[in-house]
Amino acid sequence: SEYYVVTDQDLGINGTPSNTLDYLLENLEKFNLPKIGLGLEWQPTPIDSPYFEHIYNYERRRFNNSRIVDNIHLDVSVDTIFALYKHQYYFIGGASTSGEYRAKHFPWYMTVEERELNEEFMYYIKHASNSSSFKTFLGL
């Protein structure tokens, strides 16, 4: 197939509709995009999350100021997230969904206390490469 999906392991997509993949494909073709990904729910990010400033100063502005056609943010590029690709190479770009077609990026919602009590997450931080954005935001 000429299509494939790339995703992050720390996303929650179980709240998206059962037709999510079909929806992504439909909009990829409709807008002739090379890539389309799920938007991210940034609203529940707690103030003591290391991501809070980034979310409210960057992510929120990106989505609120974007060009939206049929619930697709055409100028909000996506990294990995949960993205459907039409091309056979990775790149940052494409468009992003909104509404019920959004994923939860779990690390955004973790407070300092929750993070430190989560053994699995602390193991990840200890062993993750420098490409981990959470490690970057923690300054590790």
Side-chain angles (χ1 to χ4, degrees), residues 32-86:
N32 193 29
L33 299 166
K35 171 184 180 178
I36 188 170
L38 295 178
L40 294 173
E41 293 186 21
W42 48 264
Q43 295 89 340
T45 305
I47 197 163
D48 57 348
S49 165
Y51 278 102
F52 183 81
E53 292 296 323
H54 172 74
I55 299 306
Y56 281 85
N57 292 324
Y58 177 71
E59 293 290 341
R60 181 176 62 120
R61 188 174 7 171
R62 244 174 27 123
F63 278 89
N64 288 344
N65 296 330
S66 68
R67 187 169 54 103
I68 304 169
V69 177
D70 296 336
N71 290 323
I72 303 297
H73 295 262
L74 293 172
D75 51 1
V76 175
S77 61
V78 292
D79 189 2
T80 45
I81 311 303
F82 183 95
L84 178 65
Y85 287 75
K86 189 174 183 174

Side-chain angles (χ1 to χ4, degrees), residues 5 9-10 14-15 19 22 32 39 41 46 53 57 59 72 90 93 98 108 110 114 120-121 125:
V5 170
Q9 77 283 2
D10 56 2
N14 57 342
N19 71 334
D22 291 331
N32 193 29
E41 293 186 21
E53 292 296 323
N57 292 324
E59 293 290 341
I72 303 297
Y90 166 79
S98 62
W108 286 1
M110 293 177 79
E114 290 169 332
E120 181 179 354
F121 190 75
I125 289 297

Side-chain angles (χ1 to χ4, degrees), residues 3-27:
Y3 303 101
Y4 66 100
V5 170
V6 174
T7 189
D8 288 337
Q9 77 283 2
D10 56 2
L11 289 181
I13 61 171
N14 57 342
T16 60
S18 61
N19 71 334
T20 294
L21 201 50
D22 291 331
Y23 179 79
L24 291 175
L25 178 60
E26 173 187 320
N27 284 287

